[in-house]
């Protein structure tokens, strides 16, 4: 199975562990991910906060490259996935937007490239049965709070990806690999997103609420598929502990890291050591139960 793969800017910086684990899982499952040549930033949060036209043109530049490749676009960053889907929607729905974007790109783009999240590929193209067959170990009852955040499932009328109030795609993967997917109220609550640097006070408050709900549910770890969510929940735990007097020590792992461990990929190939909160309890559970 061959796809055009858009890694996004964070894959080269703050989310290198997401990138490492994504590519490692793809190799283990014989998924061919081909990066578009000369891909550029999708604009993420900053783009659509600055200028609506820029917010569409930046992702469209990458979508047009993928159109030439005649492949579906696969994305693992929730923010990039969101921006690609929104750009497609706006271009296809509004002839004026399409014309302006075409002028900016010096070519026409019609919004037709199919954009899929890696989770869709894993569930729909690979399938949980094949994942189970490929697994060399299981999550062995690991209690996982699956966290979706805002960008992966909203706005629902455009993304059309899972249930916006009670999504289950992460949960289904965790369960298929032998983990215990927890019922908890925080799975689509906001962690502060792009305010990580500009309003750390807001991020600390929102992220602490998410962490508290996961701990109350008995989670061994939180599984994510968004680099901004991962950074906010992982990096800010020390700040949260200082401000609240609590002692959160809950690992924030990418779903691809959990899958990779079950597929027999070595932790160092998955970027496990890059986590700020050590994932020792995750490694012990998985590696102790082949």
């Amino acid at each position: 199975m061959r796809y055009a793969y858009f890694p996004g800017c964070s894959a080269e910086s703050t989310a290198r562990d997401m990138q490492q684990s994504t590519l490692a899982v793809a190799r283990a499952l014989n998924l061919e991910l081909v990066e578009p040549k000369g891909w550029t930033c999708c604009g993420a949060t900053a783009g659509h906060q600055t200028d609506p036209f820029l917010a569409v043109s930046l992702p469209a530049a990458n979508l047009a490259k993928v159109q030439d490749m005649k492949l579906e676009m696969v994305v693992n960053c929730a923010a990039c996935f969101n921006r690609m889907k929104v750009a497609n929607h706006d271009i296809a729905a509004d002839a004026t937007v399409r014309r302006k974007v075409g002028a900016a790109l010096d070519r026409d783009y019609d919004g037709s490239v199919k954009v899929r999240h890696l989770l869709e590929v894993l569930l729909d193209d690979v399938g949980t049965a094949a994942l189970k067959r490929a697994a060399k170990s299981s999550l062995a009852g690991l209690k996982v709070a699956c966290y979706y955040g805002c960008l992966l499932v909203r706005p629902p009328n455009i993304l059309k990806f899972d249930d916006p109030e009670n999504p289950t795609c992460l949960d289904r993967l965790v369960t298929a690999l032998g983990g215990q997917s927890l019922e908890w109220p925080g799975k689509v609550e906001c962690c502060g997103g792009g305010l990580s640097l500009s309003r750390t006070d807001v991020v600390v408050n929102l992220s602490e609420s998410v962490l508290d709900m996961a701990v109350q549910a008995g989670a061994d770890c939180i599984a994510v598929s968004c680099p901004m969510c991962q950074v906010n929940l992982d990096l800010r735990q020390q700040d949260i502990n200082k401000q609240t007097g609590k002692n959160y020590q809950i690992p924030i792992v990418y779903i691809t890291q959990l899958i990779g461990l079950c597929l027999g990929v070595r932790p160092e190939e998955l970027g496990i050591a890059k986590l700020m909160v050590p994932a020792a309890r995750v490694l012990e559970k998985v590696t102790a139960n082949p």
Side-chain angles (χ1 to χ4, degrees), residues 252-275:
I252 313 298
V253 296
Y254 287 106
I255 187 65
T256 42
Q257 292 177 317
L258 292 181
I259 294 171
L261 288 173
C262 291
L263 293 175
V265 182
R266 293 179 300 169
E268 54 267 32
E269 294 181 63
L270 300 168
I272 297 288
K274 290 182 171 64
L275 301 176

Side-chain angles (χ1 to χ4, degrees), residues 42-259:
C42 72
T45 304
H48 73 249
Q49 287 184 333
T50 304
D51 179 83
F53 172 62
L54 180 68
V56 177
S57 298
L58 287 171
N62 297 292
L63 289 161
K65 289 182 174 67
V66 174
Q67 188 173 53
D68 294 338
M69 297 169 70
K70 295 180 171 56
L71 294 171
E72 296 178 349
M73 176 187 274
V74 170
V75 191
N76 196 22
C77 169
C80 296
F81 173 69
N82 187 291
R83 296 319 307 162
M84 297 295 177
K85 294 279 281 192
V86 170
N88 263 349
H89 173 270
D90 291 352
I91 290 167
D94 192 319
T96 300
V97 172
R98 177 176 173 177
R99 185 172 63 253
K100 287 183 177 180
V101 169
L105 302 183
D106 197 26
R107 60 166 291 175
D108 181 48
Y109 173 65
D110 60 2
S112 64
V113 169
K114 188 171 184 178
V115 179
R116 302 175 70 195
H117 196 277
L118 180 66
L119 295 172
E120 291 180 271
V121 172
L122 293 174
L123 285 168
D124 299 339
D125 295 3
V126 177
T128 54
L131 272 177
K132 290 178 183 179
R133 288 194 299 270
K136 294 178 171 57
S137 60
S138 81
L139 294 179
L142 186 76
K143 296 178 181 179
V144 184
C146 294
Y147 181 63
Y148 298 79
C150 305
L151 297 175
L152 191 60
V153 293
R154 299 170 181 154
N157 62 314
I158 295 176
L159 269 61
K160 299 176 181 177
F161 181 74
D162 217 323
D163 187 309
E165 299 300 329
N166 186 30
T168 60
C169 54
L170 289 168
D171 301 80
R172 289 159 60 196
L173 288 167
V174 166
T175 301
L177 292 170
Q180 182 180 344
S181 175
L182 300 175
E183 288 290 336
W184 68 303
K187 58 166 56 177
V188 292
E189 293 299 312
C190 182
C191 69
L195 299 175
S196 184
L197 296 177
S198 60
R199 289 296 305 274
T200 56
D201 57 325
V202 173
V203 170
V204 165
N205 287 335
L206 292 175
S207 294
E208 196 273 332
S209 176
V210 173
L211 293 172
D212 185 64
M213 285 186 277
V215 169
Q216 293 300 320
D220 293 317
C221 67
I222 296 176
V224 301
S225 190
C226 173
M228 282 196 294
C229 294
Q230 199 282 334
V231 166
N232 283 342
L233 296 176
D234 185 34
L235 183 65
R236 294 296 175 194
Q237 281 192 50
Q238 187 174 15
D239 293 334
I240 291 168
N241 290 340
K242 285 180 180 178
Q243 293 190 31
T244 63
K246 297 181 180 180
N247 186 33
Y248 293 111
Q249 294 293 328
I250 183 166
I252 313 298
V253 296
Y254 287 106
I255 187 65
T256 42
Q257 292 177 317
L258 292 181
I259 294 171

Side-chain angles (χ1 to χ4, degrees), residues 21-33 118 122 263:
S21 56
T22 296
L23 297 180
V25 166
R27 286 192 296 269
L29 295 173
N30 295 314
L31 301 176
E32 185 179 358
L33 302 182
L118 180 66
L122 293 174
L263 293 175

